Amino acid sequence: MTKTTQEIQSIDNTHHLHPFTVHHELREAGPRVITRGEGVYLWDSDGNKILDGMAGLWCVQLGYGEQELVDAATDAMKTLSYYNTFFQTTTPHATRLSQLIAEKTPDGLDQIMFGCSGSESNDTAIKLIWYYWNLQGKPEKKAIISRERAYHGSTVAGASLSGLPFMQGIFDLPLPRFHHVGPTPHYYEYGNSDESEREFGLRCAKAIEDKILELGPENVAAFAGEPVMGAGGLMLPPEGYWQEVERICRKYDVLLWSDEVICGFGRTGEWFGCQTYGYTPDIMTMAKGISSGYQPLSAVAINKRMSDAIVNADSEMAHGYTYSGHPVVCAVAVRNLELITEKKLVGERGQATSEYFLKQLSLLDDHPLIGQTRGVGLLGGIELVKDKTTRERFSPDGTAGVTCRNHCFKSGIIMRAVGDTMFLCPPLVITNDEIDELFRLVRISLDLTLEELKP
Ligand SMILES: *Cc1c(COP(=O)(O)O)cnc(C)c1O
């Protein structure tokens, strides 16, 4: 017998610890129970239909219920439910996936290592970077620089690399060797009125150079950044910023690491964010859209410089996971990447959808609650403000965002809030009609939010 919503909530409250949650609040409210998904829509246990404007957690590129991915998983599971890639073995699906990814990454990034989550791939990247410098005979080159407000996952290393103090202090993080620089490259919030966006971008890049010089270039292993900063607030890089960061990394022989966990697999228009913004990293990490979220999967790609050192090393690269290159997971990802290609989601259709989406997003600018809209590909950010001209917020602790998010849910649309920034990140398969519906629901939610917040 199927359980009622209340029964599920009660069991959940008794036994289930949730990620990033204030548990006493969750227990009071009771979790929302999601039971079904199809295309860009979800249904909850009370039968409400909800347009998922967040593609799950930035990952469901192909939307929900794609039969081809179900079939890929079923076939793979029937043939070989599991085998590992330790001890000089491989499986056809893992091999094929590594080849497919290498074809899509920038030239030279041709060696792929698999994991199960973005955080895991970032842990792997850190270890490969440290290992690389040890192999180069530069064991002192270990510091890793990232940015304030970056999100790089929540394992011990991922949280250390992230630039979000609320994730760190309660766990006595970050670990040593992790350094964070500001200003965060987000002109709307941190730019000075007397500097252009480009000048501001150069100032942000200069802060990285200053940190490298402060630590001593001989001690700095890598700089890590998301092409578009995601979970920290959907912040787009200023024009010229990434080129300058790349130049600085080359100058001081610091490895450039692109965390593509959100931006990869068509999210910003190209296969990867570094291609959209025109820079070439030494190392990339990816997850989320790699499997459209149908299976837990992540990957690290390294360039020839790093792979030559590792492949030619005498020592064993003693690192890896039981599920690295899991055959069922890789089979699903292979089909996912093929479908993204076949459906031209990176290419004509993706471009047309993005143009339509960004146009509709910009039409929200006239709404009294909105200080700025911004976007790239199929990513959108919306700033909620009390005063459009002064950009004054409703309150410093971002309560307008939560109010808006709750109205969204009630109106049948999922937008996520971080502070007073609302995010949109719909499945890449969304149609123009569905985009119309999405923004109709967003507008309703904004009106309701304004109504509630109006003094
Ligand atoms: C989500 C995310 C991660 C962490 O991925 P998980 O699969 O949740 O471990 C890392 N980096 C970025 C940029 C992310 O958005």
Side-chain angles (χ1 to χ4, degrees):
M1 209 187 78
T2 52
K3 294 199 155 48
T4 65
T5 302
Q6 285 77 10
E7 283 167 335
I8 295 171
Q9 287 173 330
S10 156
I11 296 168
D12 201 85
N13 277 349
T14 310
H15 295 295
H16 190 179
L17 281 181
H18 289 246
F20 289 89
T21 292
V22 180
H23 277 87
H24 70 84
E25 285 176 9
L26 174 67
R27 274 157 208 210
E28 256 160 59
R32 196 172 283 114
V33 184
I34 301 294
T35 50
R36 194 162 78 79
E38 198 183 313
V40 300
Y41 289 99
L42 293 166
W43 282 264
D44 70 14
S45 53
D46 296 326
N48 297 307
K49 183 180 177 185
I50 311 160
L51 203 168
D52 185 4
M54 275 304 295
L57 213 41
W58 323 82
C59 57
V60 188
Q61 316 300 67
L62 293 184
Y64 298 94
E66 171 57 61
Q67 188 60 38
E68 296 249 16
L69 296 188
V70 177
D71 293 344
T74 310
D75 292 347
M77 201 178 274
K78 281 182 182 160
T79 313
L80 178 66
S81 45
Y82 169 75
Y83 201 70
N84 66 75
T85 55
F86 289 47
F87 321 127
Q88 305 192 350
T89 29
T90 192
T91 64
H93 294 306
T95 305
R96 174 73 183 127
L97 183 60
S98 63
Q99 179 187 33
L100 265 182
I101 293 172
E103 282 169 14
K104 292 166 183 27
T105 51
D107 283 349
L109 286 110
D110 288 338
Q111 296 282 318
I112 314 296
M113 182 160 199
F114 294 115
C116 297
S117 72
S119 303
E120 234 178 56
S121 68
N122 285 349
D123 274 44
T124 296
I126 290 163
K127 288 179 74 179
L128 293 183
I129 289 165
W130 286 341
Y131 182 42
Y132 170 76
W133 287 118
N134 286 341
L135 290 170
Q136 295 302 99
K138 297 188 175 173
E140 67 291 347
K141 230 167 145 59
K142 290 291 156 56
I144 299 190
I145 300 174
S146 60
R147 299 171 294 181
E148 290 167 6
R149 296 186 69 182
Y151 185 78
H152 295 292
S154 74
T155 50
V156 170
S160 293
L161 189 64
S162 297
L164 298 167
F166 81 97
M167 293 176 62
Q168 298 174 325
I170 57 168
F171 301 113
D172 302 309
L173 297 172
L175 294 177
R177 296 180 174 182
F178 291 89
H179 304 270
H180 304 90
V181 294
T184 304
H186 181 36
Y187 185 60
Y188 179 79
E189 209 159 324
Y190 303 106
N192 294 329
S193 50
D194 62 352
E195 66 188 343
S196 68
E197 178 158 359
R198 199 181 169 84
E199 286 163 348
F200 168 70
L202 295 179
R203 180 158 68 87
C204 296
K206 177 79 167 40
I208 298 166
E209 182 167 25
D210 290 346
K211 179 58 83 177
I212 293 172
L213 292 171
E214 176 198 322
L215 296 167
E218 69 283 5
N219 298 316
V220 181
F223 167 77
E226 308 152 82
V228 174
M229 299 179 75
L234 215 137
M235 297 172 277
L236 306 180
E239 196 206 320
Y241 169 81
W242 273 114
Q243 282 65 40
E244 182 65 4
V245 171
E246 185 175 28
R247 189 189 67 77
I248 291 166
C249 287
R250 300 293 165 238
K251 181 173 175 192
Y252 299 104
D253 201 17
V254 166
L255 294 173
L256 178 54
W257 167 6
S258 198
D259 182 343
E260 300 274 352
V261 171
I262 286 177
C263 292
F265 306 100
R267 183 49 68 189
T268 64
E270 304 289 336
W271 279 103
F272 294 101
C274 59
Q275 293 158 336
T276 299
Y277 291 104
Y279 66 96
T280 307
D282 299 290
I283 180 164
M284 300 163 68
T285 46
M286 52 196 91
K288 295 193 170 125
I290 191 174
S291 62
S292 279
Y294 281 58
Q295 293 283 306
L297 174 68
S298 63
V300 183
I302 56 174
N303 69 2
K304 196 159 158 31
R305 172 183 178 184
M306 292 185 71
S307 64
D308 276 354
I310 291 170
V311 170
N312 294 323
D314 291 328
S315 55
E316 172 183 350
M317 190 189 76
H319 171 78
Y321 310 104
T322 302
Y323 298 133
S324 293
H326 190 296
V328 178
V329 175
C330 289
V332 171
V334 165
R335 196 68 197 116
N336 178 56
L337 301 197
E338 288 171 353
L339 286 170
I340 290 176
T341 304
E342 286 166 22
K343 291 174 188 282
K344 298 189 164 55
L345 298 174
V346 174
E348 271 162 56
R349 177 170 164 196
Q351 199 179 332
T353 307
S354 166
E355 270 166 30
Y356 193 73
F357 170 80
L358 295 175
K359 177 86 203 331
Q360 302 306 310
L361 177 68
S362 71
L363 294 179
L364 290 176
D365 282 333
D366 66 4
H367 195 277
L369 257 187
I370 290 183
Q372 189 204 37
T373 61
R374 56 180 178 269
V376 62
L378 277 174
L379 282 171
I382 301 170
E383 295 294 337
L384 305 180
V385 291
K386 191 170 172 184
D387 185 316
K388 281 172 93 79
T389 44
T390 64
R391 300 179 181 179
E392 188 197 342
R393 304 261 183 205
F394 282 94
S395 77
D397 50 354
T399 45
V402 178
T403 305
C404 183
R405 187 190 65 194
N406 291 339
H407 281 300
C408 285
F409 250 114
K410 277 183 238 151
S411 312
I413 168 88
I414 297 179
M415 276 207 286
R416 190 171 158 204
V418 164
D420 285 347
T421 308
M422 307 302 299
F423 303 164
L424 283 168
C425 176
L428 304 187
V429 293
I430 194 168
T431 63
N432 286 2
D433 285 348
E434 288 163 343
I435 290 173
D436 288 343
E437 175 68 359
L438 184 155
F439 284 104
R440 192 181 68 80
L441 295 171
V442 168
R443 238 175 222 283
I444 291 172
S445 312
L446 289 169
D447 290 344
L448 290 168
T449 306
L450 182 64
E451 192 63 32
E452 183 173 336
L453 296 174
K454 231 172 21 194

